[in-house]
Amino acid sequence: MAERRILILDDGQITSIIAEHSWTDFLDDSDGNVELYIFTSTDALSEKDKCSSFVKAYKEVPHPTSDGALELWAFHMHRQYTFTHIYTKNEDLIIRAAHLRTLLNIKTGLSADQVQAYREKVHMKELAAAGGFPVPPFTRLLAPIDLICFIEKYGYPVIVKPTLGCAVAGLHLISNEEELQSFLSSKLFSCIDINQRMDLVGELMVEGFMRGRMYHVNGIAVNGQITHVWPFAYLHTCLDFAKHGTAYGNSSVPRSNPLFNRLHNAAQRLLSILPTPNDCLIFHLELYENLDENRSPNDDFVLCEIAARAPGGSITHLIDLLSFQDNEYDSFARLDFRASVSLPISLSSTEHEQDDKVITDLVIPRKSGKLMYIPRECSLPNLTYIPLANVEKPTTYDKYDANSINSACRLITYSKTMDEGKELVEKGLKWFDDACIVTPIDEPCSVSLIKEFHRFLSRRTFNVI
């Protein structure tokens, strides 16, 4: 019988700006006898995986995250093969994977009684607060009066979000009484998945809006102790990107910056409070800068949330560039998978390369309207430009959708300091905004062309190009 029999739970329906890997890319011939059993979405499994001797069985369904037969298939397969590990990288499957581990008596990874600390945001903040880690004011919503009373006590603005939400799906920023009236009248009793509900069952929460700068810490912990860590500062946030159409980005914190140790220590402090598995935990932690003048000396940050998964968006690619030089063989995804299933891991390029190098990116969102043109290349020095939107023909865009690509392009730069990196990508943002052409959806093409011709002539006249 194989030494490791790994059940992989995945859903490839959610689009990403980062290229996907084959599961068998993460395995080596020296790993011994390893078998993979994969439950994934239709057409998500690569031909390489389907033909691999490592893959013993797989099942594809349209939407694994909303298909309860996943557990039934896993249960029957376990009876036949006896899994040793369960792995998922999908936020929506983390709780289900944990309950499967407990049901099937699998001792690796998060169990059913641990997983809520990394997924259910009220429970997460209750545990953190009980352990002395700073958290925003918060409460679970069981009735509209809970929200009203919270605002009466803490004031505006406030954030309302699902306790099991991902990214910014279902998140609402309420800044005044008019917005509160609108939210209570038309949004509170709706939810992400169905049109209407008759009562609240505690799956929403409210918390105070934190004004401090946001950071994220990504890493691997073994037996609760951090072994690998990559801290970053946000350049704006996913909320700004989704709700306000602001470019979103990240800037790595070099080891030589005192902020590196402060973020590392905050992450370790939180993991010492939360339950952790006996083996490996992959985590993505978001923190607010603590602006409270009366805070304790060690309370540098306030908890936003922590997830038991790899970072999303463009962050894993930045880690790859920072620590692996975008090597086709080594990657954070490979490190994540191997560490999670008790296979040996190593960094071919040591983390000390972070000492004096900063990598910064900026993801520029699409604007509402018809996208007529974006540049194919960027002539600005020290900037890598990656067009993401379809430029083969005009395409229309209405608003942010958590399940689709909302980005026009991405900018990446290396620098010696975080400030220098920010300055470079913001220069790139201005260049892109000046170059791209977005027109109203219902405007005739002839009118758009005349407008753009006038813009071109004006810029040449005043020497702005």
Side-chain angles (χ1 to χ4, degrees), residues 62 350 444:
T350 68

Side-chain angles (χ1 to χ4, degrees), residues 328-365:
E328 291 184 2
Y329 177 76
D330 284 327
S331 66
F332 184 86
R334 174 183 169 86
L335 204 68
D336 169 2
F337 178 78
R338 292 181 64 85
S340 299
V341 298
S342 308
L343 288 169
I345 62 172
S346 63
L347 283 172
S348 59
S349 300
T350 68
E351 291 174 280
H352 294 295
E353 298 208 8
Q354 299 177 73
D355 287 354
D356 57 358
K357 181 167 61 176
V358 173
I359 189 166
T360 303
D361 80 337
L362 197 68
V363 180
I364 301 176

Side-chain angles (χ1 to χ4, degrees), residues 165-219:
C166 299
V168 295
L171 187 148
H172 299 274
L173 174 64
I174 302 174
S175 301
N176 51 53
E177 188 165 347
E178 182 180 350
E179 292 179 0
L180 175 63
Q181 176 71 38
S182 173
F183 178 77
L184 292 174
S185 299
S186 60
K187 298 174 183 176
L188 178 61
F189 284 89
S190 64
C191 65
I192 299 171
D193 300 315
I194 58 176
N195 292 328
Q196 187 175 357
R197 58 190 169 199
M198 301 306 294
D199 207 347
L200 302 180
V201 291
E203 78 274 30
L204 291 175
M205 67 176 294
V206 58
E207 66 181 32
F209 181 80
M210 303 300 294
R211 300 186 183 278
R213 187 174 184 182
M214 284 194 73
Y215 301 90
H216 55 96
V217 186
N218 313 281

Side-chain angles (χ1 to χ4, degrees), residues 455-465:
R455 183 174 78 145
F456 174 78
L457 290 178
S458 175
R459 293 173 69 205
R460 295 219 16 140
T461 301
F462 293 101
N463 297 317
V464 294
I465 61 173

Side-chain angles (χ1 to χ4, degrees), residues 96-353:
R96 295 170 67 179
H99 281 264
L100 266 173
R101 291 189 193 101
T102 297
L103 173 67
L104 304 180
N105 198 32
I106 295 173
K107 301 301 183 182
T108 58
L110 285 170
S111 62
D113 61 350
Q114 296 173 326
V115 70
Q116 297 284 11
Y118 300 88
R119 189 73 180 95
E120 211 280 344
K121 295 176 176 59
V122 171
H123 183 62
M124 176 194 303
K125 288 183 167 63
E126 287 173 343
L127 287 177
F133 199 97
V135 299
F138 69 95
T139 192
R140 192 183 299 275
L141 297 182
L142 294 171
I145 195 63
D146 295 328
L147 176 56
I148 296 168
C149 289
F150 186 89
I151 292 172
E152 284 293 306
K153 183 174 182 179
Y154 296 105
Y156 296 103
V158 299
I159 298 284
V160 176
K161 57 186 177 182
T163 63
L164 297 178
C166 299
V168 295
L171 187 148
H172 299 274
L173 174 64
I174 302 174
S175 301
N176 51 53
E177 188 165 347
E178 182 180 350
E179 292 179 0
L180 175 63
Q181 176 71 38
S182 173
F183 178 77
L184 292 174
S185 299
S186 60
K187 298 174 183 176
L188 178 61
F189 284 89
S190 64
C191 65
I192 299 171
D193 300 315
I194 58 176
N195 292 328
Q196 187 175 357
R197 58 190 169 199
M198 301 306 294
D199 207 347
L200 302 180
V201 291
E203 78 274 30
L204 291 175
M205 67 176 294
V206 58
E207 66 181 32
F209 181 80
M210 303 300 294
R211 300 186 183 278
R213 187 174 184 182
M214 284 194 73
Y215 301 90
H216 55 96
V217 186
N218 313 281
I220 301 174
V222 177
N223 298 320
Q225 297 298 309
I226 296 174
T227 59
H228 303 75
V229 66
W230 293 268
F232 287 80
Y234 278 121
L235 305 183
H236 309 294
T237 64
C238 291
L239 174 62
D240 297 319
F241 184 95
K243 301 298 183 183
H244 309 299
T246 304
Y248 144 85
N250 312 269
S251 188
S252 66
V253 179
R255 193 178 294 271
S256 56
N257 189 322
L259 187 58
F260 184 102
N261 284 334
R262 290 170 56 206
L263 288 165
H264 179 284
N265 293 340
Q268 185 60 69
R269 177 183 172 189
L270 181 64
L271 291 182
S272 298
I273 296 169
L274 302 182
T276 54
N278 294 326
D279 54 346
C280 171
L281 174 72
I282 309 295
F283 66 90
H284 170 65
L285 166 63
E286 293 184 326
L287 298 166
Y288 301 106
E289 178 186 10
N290 194 342
L291 299 181
D292 184 357
E293 295 180 354
N294 299 317
R295 65 181 177 83
S296 299
N298 294 326
D299 290 346
D300 290 347
F301 305 100
V302 177
L303 174 63
C304 175
E305 57 192 61
I306 184 170
R309 56 161 175 80
S314 64
I315 301 168
T316 53
H317 184 225
L318 293 180
I319 295 173
D320 289 348
L321 292 171
L322 193 64
S323 292
F324 306 107
Q325 288 73 57
D326 211 17
N327 186 297
E328 291 184 2
Y329 177 76
D330 284 327
S331 66
F332 184 86
R334 174 183 169 86
L335 204 68
D336 169 2
F337 178 78
R338 292 181 64 85
S340 299
V341 298
S342 308
L343 288 169
I345 62 172
S346 63
L347 283 172
S348 59
S349 300
T350 68
E351 291 174 280
H352 294 295
E353 298 208 8

